[in-house]
Amino acid sequence: MKGSQVSDWRPTAPIENLIFRAASLKSIRDFFAARDVLEVETPLLCRHSVTDPYIQSISASLHINGKENKYFLQTSPEYAMKRLLAAGSGSIFQICKAFRQDEIGRLHNPEFTMLEWYRPGFDHHALMDEVDALLQAILQTQAADKFTYAELFQQYLGINPHTATLGNLFECLAANNIELSSELLPALGQPYLQSDDLAPASERSQHDFYLQLLLSHCIEPKLAIERPCFIYDFPASQAALSRIQPGNPPLAARFEVYYQGIELANGFHELADANEQRKRFERNCLRRQQMNVDEMTIDENLLAALAAGIPDCSGVALGLDRLIMLASKSTHLSPVISFDLSNA
Amino acid sequence: MSIYGLNEIRSGMKLIIDGDPCVVVENEFFKPGKGQSVNRLRYRNLKTGRVIERTYKSNDSIEGADVVEVDAQYLYSDGNEWNFMATESFEQYAVHEAEVADAKIWLKEQGECKLTLWNGNPILVTPPNFVQLTITQTDPGVKGDTAGSGGKPATLETGAVVRVPLFVQEGETVKVDTRNGEYVSRVKE
């Protein structure tokens, strides 16, 4: 590549990869047609976006009747699809673009393709089986392994993620030679540190952060090398929009699936309780304030749909670019995306 | 000096980390399913030569280092210091053992090299990929052997010892790859 400032007009993906991509899309559509799952399209430009404190949405100014309105490019079609579910759509799937601010890397393009689908009547285990079937079809892999979050940490790091203290987590990081910048190492003995150890299960953000580092730096690279691997039953504090199963410890009905060390999808047995959902959104907003991040208003239409009643269902969001990257044996997203950020 | 956000840092950039000038080897972005993103930086400390991996918050930032590479010529050494002159500025630099390090066995008077300067001070000397040096000592070897096994050791005018084919003789000039210390070919005067 020449070191030129002007980008190349050529696509970042070779044409044969685009042909492969089209064939994969057809296989995916056939997969869902055989299962009577309806294909839908929902808006990418909406008045609201997610309140998740760690996701930044890209906004656009939409002129309506001469006035400027701030709209958001969707980070996932979830909210609109849940409104469809509440309206009686039945099982639905969507292949669409999603957009995220500040996510750029070998496996991240700010504009990417999502495959998202919802299954009334499925719990997260049934949906894992369906995701497994899809991966076998598209990646030609064998049936996936499945581990709970606790089993995974026990097996790879010898710790119980639900009961480990922050001190235990730091020791584990050090034992695995993970070096952190000073910003990521809070001074030991600080009150914040101690209170987080005692915080109720739903608010342990510091624990979750270090657990996440251990997962991404120490476990993920070794995970699912030969066949896909599901991780399920996450700590309740990492539930996002999934149901929480009461117990000791309470667990989130959430799963992720990996292949060759790469996270492909995130699924939930969806939370249907509008009040609980509102509480989680409010906690997100508070966290956004604490982190000094842009304020996001709550999507009342989603909450109204939940209150009107969505069927008991599970849903999953899968990174389609990554799936196709793996299926085509590429190591980066760019060879499977027609024009990535570098020359879009 | 400029400050760079973790999301703008690319391989090849020079940064100050823990007070030392470093060059970035790789910057990997991690974004967990629902959590704070981090960047794992792999970088080489230009003073110690060590390669280190460290994880940063994605919205963190690191100071850029004023590090430049200049073409220079080796002048002479008194055993303690090695003296160089930058080809463009004619500025002279005295460099110590630690900075000359592996380069010193490839330096002959007027020889070209690159100097890495941090805030104007030399921190590293890099010889060119190939140098041509005369053999000052080597055994005669077996006449007529053109593709011998293993070859024989030869001492070069700079003191470097390189394995050369058996047919190469004392007084001849040879081309050597400084990156791996291997003989490449003879040089006809």
Side-chain angles (χ1 to χ4, degrees), chain A residues 52 54 102-104 106 108 178-181 183-184 209 212-213 216-217 240 254 256 263 266, chain B residues 7 10 18 28-38 40 43 50 52-57 60:
Chain A
D52 184 325
Y54 301 108
D102 297 325
E103 293 188 18
I104 300 175
R106 178 175 67 100
H108 291 86
I178 303 300
E179 217 185 287
L180 302 177
S181 73
E183 300 275 304
L184 293 181
F209 178 70
Q212 190 52 54
L213 276 182
S216 61
H217 287 32
R254 175 183 164 196
E256 285 185 345
E263 187 206 323
N266 191 8
Chain B
N7 50 16
R10 299 274 164 268
D18 297 339
E28 198 175 350
F29 174 75
F30 288 90
K31 175 74 205 227
K34 302 277 177 193
Q36 192 170 82
S37 54
V38 293
R40 192 172 194 186
Y43 58 92
R50 281 183 59 217
I52 296 161
E53 275 187 304
R54 185 180 290 179
T55 302
Y56 290 82
K57 271 188 190 170
D60 208 344

Side-chain angles (χ1 to χ4, degrees), chain A residues 104-294:
Chain A
I104 300 175
R106 178 175 67 100
L107 301 174
H108 291 86
N109 203 53
E111 176 176 0
F112 61 101
T113 304
M114 190 82 96
L115 162 62
E116 190 151 337
W117 77 100
Y118 292 86
R119 295 294 238 140
F122 279 38
D123 68 0
H124 61 297
H125 293 282
L127 190 54
M128 279 195 271
D129 288 340
E130 189 161 79
V131 175
D132 193 358
L134 179 69
L135 295 181
Q136 287 180 57
I138 304 298
L139 297 174
Q140 265 98 62
T141 51
Q142 298 179 299
D145 288 323
K146 295 183 173 115
F147 296 108
T148 62
Y149 195 87
E151 281 167 357
L152 203 68
F153 273 78
Q154 199 59 59
Q155 184 185 332
Y156 283 88
L157 298 173
I159 59 172
N160 180 336
H162 302 297
T163 57
T165 61
L166 272 177
N168 295 149
L169 298 179
F170 287 138
E171 276 160 24
C172 194
L173 284 165
N176 284 278
N177 296 315
I178 303 300
E179 217 185 287
L180 302 177
S181 73
S182 52
E183 300 275 304
L184 293 181
L185 288 172
L188 291 171
Q190 292 286 331
Y192 179 41
L193 198 77
Q194 287 169 345
S195 73
D196 206 58
D197 264 321
L198 303 169
S202 58
E203 281 164 7
R204 303 202 329 168
S205 59
Q206 274 208 313
H207 274 80
D208 288 336
F209 178 70
Y210 295 107
L211 283 172
Q212 190 52 54
L213 276 182
L214 286 167
L215 185 61
S216 61
H217 287 32
C218 307
I219 300 178
E220 278 176 25
K222 304 179 185 165
L223 211 54
I225 302 301
E226 283 169 18
R227 60 183 78 195
C229 179
F230 286 87
I231 308 176
Y232 64 100
D233 287 356
F234 276 63
S237 48
Q238 296 181 32
L241 283 90
S242 66
R243 297 185 181 198
I244 294 178
Q245 299 154 143
N248 186 21
L251 296 171
R254 175 183 164 196
F255 68 87
E256 285 185 345
V257 64
Y258 290 77
Y259 184 47
Q260 306 202 326
I262 294 171
E263 187 206 323
L264 279 178
N266 191 8
F268 308 136
H269 187 173
E270 304 289 346
L271 179 68
D273 178 341
N275 291 325
E276 173 59 29
Q277 185 66 83
R278 179 181 293 282
K279 285 204 195 106
R280 293 192 197 176
F281 285 166
E282 282 168 352
R283 267 207 296 272
N284 282 347
C285 290
L286 185 58
R287 193 94 186 92
R288 287 185 87 97
Q289 258 178 32
Q290 290 169 346
M291 287 167 57
N292 244 334
V293 144
D294 285 355

Side-chain angles (χ1 to χ4, degrees), chain B residues 140-152 164-169 186:
Chain B
V142 175
K143 259 198 152 75
D145 187 334
T146 49
S149 57
K152 59 183 179 179
V164 299
L166 299 178
F167 59 85
V168 175
Q169 304 304 333
R186 277 189 299 182

